[in-house]
Every structure is written in structure tokens, then in C-alpha cells.
Amino acid sequence: MQFHYTEPQTQLEELFGGHFCINAIGNIEAGDAGRFRHFLTASNVPPRCVVYIDSAGGDVDAAIEIGRLIRGAWLSTDVGRYLLDFGKTIDVPLIPRKKHQGQCLSAATLMYLGGRLRYLDDQATFGVHQFKFPSARGDEVPKHFLAKSQNLSARISEYIYDMGISPQFLLLSAATPSNEMRLVSKPELERIGVVTGGQTAVAWILEANNGISYVKGERERFDLRTSQGNALLSQRCWLLFLGGD
């Protein structure tokens, strides 16, 4: 997989919505997680950037590790490519940018789940199926292959839980054979919490103060009217529980 980082070309572009963003393009291969970790450090990528993914999948373990790096760096994810449009550079002070539609299939969907916020256009392609190791051969059947497959399933389940994703995502994947692809619509992905749009789910916490118990809900939201690098807002609400005898 190739990683490319761009930032606003000028302060003026940043002021009027120029994006800090990462494009992650191509198949995910073993070792890409280490390359992505180095890429984040070398490029000095700020938090709350968007990672645009255009990939047909690849190595599951690498996809999981990249997803964890995305979450740890407080990055968001989207499907497609967000590129400078060099075909429209005549008599303009800045090179315009253009969103290109893309695909997020198989293991790439695990990478996508790492986004703190997760966006998806209606025209984007998002596809899932069963994850598995390459076909076992010789003495590996069934001595080691079954154990490896079970271990892979456990790692995927743990990762999905850690990312706060509904188990329904696993059910969608498990229902489709590995030699087929289930294309999932944006409304269905929104329903099960895979696509968040510009705000996180509400996190509820039980607290007490001066004898009054209350549940505090908090979520974070991006204001897309401004630059995607600096527009994080917090929203909070409280539910009071008054005790009595």
C-alpha cells in the first residue's frame, strides 16, 4: 500500500477549508503497518486528519495494525482519493482539489474501522466477506490450519470490539463466502454504526456530586464548514437521578 500526505498549500487555503489528508492506495501487504507508523512520524501528520482509503484488501494482520495506528493517532477515515487536480491549474492561485470515488473491500474495511470518525459517500464501494488464511496444503491440514483460522477470527473479533463497532459487522462478513463479495450500502453501514459521519457516538458515564447522581453523555463532532484539521467540538448533556427514601 502506498501512503501520501498533503497539507493546505497556503494559510489562505487552510482558512477556507484546505485539507490536511492522507491517501492510502493499493493492496495491503505484510509490513505495511510498520511503514505506516514510520510514515506518520516522518510526515508529522497532525491529529484529526482524514485517511482516504482506496483498496481491494490484502493482509488482515497488517490492516488491523494500521487501523489501530489510525485510531491511536486520532485520524478519521473515508473511502476514495482526495487529490490535487492538476488538470485545472490555468490562471488560478491554488491548485484545486478533487474527491475521486474509490473502493474499500475485504481487509481494507478493517483498516477503515480504525477511523475515529468514519465517512462514506453514496457512490463509494464498500464490500465484505469471510476472512481466511490462504488455502492450507500438505501436513498443515488439519493440524495447524484450523488453529490459525480460529486465532485469526479471535483477533478480528477483539479488534472490532476495541474499535467500538457493533458485532453485526462480523455477521455481515461471516454470511458471505470468501470467494464472493457482499457490497454494503451506506444506510446499512450507518444503521450498525460503521459509518459515523461527522460525529462520534455518545459515551455515557455515571457520576455523583454532592449526593446527586447523574449520567453524563459526551460526543465529539467535526464542523465540516471549516478546515478538517482544526474543527473538533465537544457536546455534553446530563441526566439527573434524584434519590429518595
Side-chain angles (χ1 to χ4, degrees), residues 22-201:
I22 296 169
N23 286 284
I25 301 169
N27 288 339
I28 305 168
E29 300 179 356
D32 277 347
R35 292 180 56 249
F36 186 65
R37 182 184 293 106
H38 175 74
F39 165 82
L40 291 177
T41 302
S43 301
N44 195 25
V45 177
R48 303 181 181 92
C49 280
V50 178
V51 180
Y52 291 89
I53 301 169
D54 189 6
S55 172
D59 187 89
V60 172
D61 286 314
I64 288 175
E65 185 60 27
I66 293 173
R68 290 191 184 278
L69 290 170
I70 288 173
R71 181 63 61 92
W74 218 120
L75 304 175
S76 299
T77 50
D78 200 343
V79 176
R81 307 183 186 198
Y82 192 69
L83 305 172
L84 295 173
D85 188 0
F86 290 101
K88 298 181 179 180
T89 58
I90 300 176
D91 296 328
V92 294
L94 296 172
I95 300 173
R97 300 173 187 268
K98 182 178 180 180
K99 172 74 178 293
H100 299 264
Q101 298 304 321
Q103 61 181 358
C104 184
L105 306 176
S106 189
T109 63
L110 297 174
M111 177 178 165
Y112 174 87
L113 297 181
R116 190 71 174 88
L117 300 173
R118 298 177 294 277
Y119 303 94
L120 189 72
D121 289 344
D122 293 331
Q123 297 79 18
T125 303
F126 193 99
V128 300
H129 59 188
Q130 296 171 1
F131 299 102
K132 71 170 188 176
F133 280 100
S135 298
R137 290 172 288 186
D139 293 338
E140 192 177 14
V141 183
K143 188 180 300 181
H144 303 299
F145 184 69
L146 180 59
K148 286 183 177 181
S149 296
Q150 291 175 335
N151 185 268
L152 176 66
S153 296
R155 293 200 303 277
I156 293 172
S157 298
E158 179 184 38
Y159 170 72
I160 289 174
Y161 175 82
D162 290 346
M163 296 299 102
I165 304 299
S166 168
Q168 293 180 15
F169 177 80
L170 270 180
L171 297 178
L172 283 177
S173 301
T176 305
S178 59
N179 61 344
E180 300 178 12
M181 188 69 66
R182 162 79 183 277
L183 300 183
V184 191
S185 67
K186 180 179 178 180
E188 187 169 7
L189 292 169
E190 289 175 329
R191 180 179 61 80
I192 64 176
V194 171
V195 173
T196 65
Q199 61 185 16
T200 63

